[in-house]
Amino acid sequence: MNTFTIQINNDINSREAVGLSQALSPIKSEIYLHIEDRKVNAKSILGLLSLSIKKGDILSFDVIEDSEVDGIRAAVEKILTE
């Protein structure tokens, strides 16, 4: 398992949640997002929205298959930090 963290620049609304879910869905790895004591499947739109992610939050992603972590991190950063 590999973990990476990012700090986001904007609140996460439904548009970003859908974009992130769609970008991660084709990836075979299991990907989990956790913030503080809450953890959700990062491919789940409802899971992402349930976290009520706000500007400045630090998000940690757990990737079960290490071979894809660089591509996953790039996709996440592109959507959440622009």
Side-chain angles (χ1 to χ4, degrees), residues 17-80:
V18 168
L20 182 58
S21 175
Q22 288 177 344
L24 298 178
S25 289
I27 298 170
K28 293 179 183 179
S29 299
E30 292 180 43
I31 307 165
Y32 297 97
L33 165 62
H34 52 95
I35 180 170
E36 298 174 4
D37 62 342
R38 298 172 292 161
K39 181 177 179 178
V40 299
N41 180 340
K43 297 178 185 181
S44 166
I45 296 168
L46 292 177
L48 294 170
L49 291 173
S50 74
L51 294 176
S52 300
I53 302 167
K54 303 293 180 203
K55 178 181 178 178
D57 284 345
I58 297 175
L59 309 178
S60 295
F61 290 83
D62 293 332
V63 181
I64 303 305
E65 290 184 23
D66 296 342
S67 62
E68 301 180 49
V69 74
D70 292 333
I72 294 167
R73 183 181 185 125
V76 167
E77 287 180 343
K78 181 178 180 184
I79 294 167
L80 298 183

Side-chain angles (χ1 to χ4, degrees), residues 5-23:
T5 60
I6 64 167
Q7 184 171 9
I8 61 165
N9 299 328
N10 298 306
D11 295 351
I12 299 298
N13 59 31
S14 58
R15 183 176 170 188
E16 285 88 7
V18 168
L20 182 58
S21 175
Q22 288 177 344

